[in-house]
Amino acid sequence: MSRRSSVMPSNTSTNSGVPPAGDGGQEKQKMLLSAETGHFSMVRALHLADLVTELNGFCGVMSVLSSMRYCLGDPHDYGAIWSALGFMPFGLFFDFMDGKIARWRNKSSLMGQELDSLADLISFGMAPAAAAFALGVRTNVDHLLLAFFVLCGLTRLARFNVTVAVLPKDKTGKSKYFEGTPIPTTLSIASLMAYWVSQGWIQEDLPLGVIAQGTAFEFHPVALLFVLHGCLMVSKSIHIPKP
């Protein structure tokens, strides 16, 4: 979960409408997004780092669609579920690279601030939950537990956007730590699910089986991993040092 708003300080524009030097491109981007300049003005407003962030979101969407494709196909054909799990680390790669590119180009992006969180929610929130559903975590209670996990990720990203400006900073202006575990750490669960697939522990053979089977409270204990991770993401007391 990169943060690109702190690449350059944001200054106000001059009265002439010309963005001041050193604004990291934010004022120019504001002008392009707000002006009536045609259908493709938004595309022109995107920075290179924003396009890389879009690739993160693309990986997340492809992961979700691959999980859906697995649900519609032969459960013994693991190709689609491997694709679903494989797109997630590629999303992490692009999530890491967008911040690197923004710092390399010395440009911050107002769009990038929002795109980053939205892409992370898809790639590291919805995608793991969809993969778990595809693997057999599908009871009504499972749905509630997976929804809790995704909403924790959503809340954690929103809190990050709000509090990043007030968290303690290092000499470079970056926050010293994350509050709660960053949402990309959900790839640890994706790695575990990949191991289950490699062992054939899916559908009726999920580890730990089913609790309260045949009742309205039936659920898979492995879904509690998502609940635990959701709680870690929204924790206020856990501080993860930034690399």
Side-chain angles (χ1 to χ4, degrees):
M1 181 172 56
S2 60
R3 189 62 185 175
R4 295 185 273 136
S5 59
S6 59
V7 174
M8 288 288 291
S10 177
N11 299 325
T12 56
S13 60
T14 62
N15 292 335
S16 63
V18 178
D23 75 340
Q26 287 193 4
E27 291 301 324
K28 179 180 178 181
Q29 190 175 57
K30 281 183 183 178
M31 292 168 58
L32 286 171
L33 290 172
S34 60
E36 296 291 339
T37 54
H39 294 296
F40 299 102
S41 58
M42 185 180 72
V43 176
R44 290 164 50 204
L46 293 175
H47 295 172
L48 178 60
D50 299 336
L51 298 176
V52 175
T53 305
E54 297 272 12
L55 290 175
N56 175 13
F58 170 80
C59 290
V61 172
M62 290 301 295
S63 177
V64 172
L65 294 177
S66 295
S67 293
M68 295 169 63
R69 190 168 70 250
Y70 174 75
C71 291
L72 295 174
D74 181 358
H76 301 291
D77 181 0
Y78 296 162
I81 195 62
W82 278 122
S83 295
L85 296 169
F87 273 113
M88 296 183 212
F90 280 105
L92 180 64
F93 170 76
F94 291 121
D95 185 45
F96 174 78
M97 288 303 298
D98 60 9
K100 291 288 187 182
I101 291 173
R103 287 187 286 274
W104 166 57
R105 291 175 59 85
N106 209 25
K107 284 189 176 182
S108 58
S109 168
L110 296 173
M111 284 279 285
Q113 298 173 34
E114 308 306 323
L115 286 173
D116 194 61
S117 292
L118 295 171
D120 283 354
L121 181 64
I122 300 171
S123 293
F124 312 122
M126 278 303 304
F133 178 90
L135 293 181
V137 185
R138 301 180 184 176
T139 71
N140 290 334
V141 176
D142 290 339
H143 294 169
L144 294 176
L145 299 179
L146 292 177
F148 173 82
F149 162 76
V150 175
L151 292 177
C152 283
L154 175 64
T155 305
R156 190 253 181 273
L157 289 167
R159 182 183 66 184
F160 180 79
N161 289 348
V162 171
T163 62
V164 67
V166 298
L167 290 176
K169 303 291 193 298
D170 60 18
K171 294 180 180 179
T172 65
K174 291 174 59 178
S175 301
K176 290 184 177 180
Y177 56 79
F178 293 109
E179 283 187 336
T181 54
I183 193 170
T185 58
T186 58
L187 286 185
S188 60
I189 300 180
S191 300
L192 185 59
M193 289 191 289
Y195 179 72
W196 296 345
V197 174
S198 70
Q199 300 299 310
W201 298 344
I202 61 174
Q203 308 299 338
E204 292 82 7
D205 297 320
L206 277 171
L208 305 180
V210 184
I211 290 180
Q213 189 169 11
T215 72
F217 302 102
E218 176 181 1
F219 75 98
H220 292 85
V222 295
L224 296 177
L225 288 173
F226 289 85
V227 174
L228 174 61
H229 206 98
C231 292
L232 293 176
M233 285 192 290
V234 297
S235 171
K236 180 73 173 177
S237 58
I238 295 177
H239 292 171
I240 308 296
K242 279 194 171 185

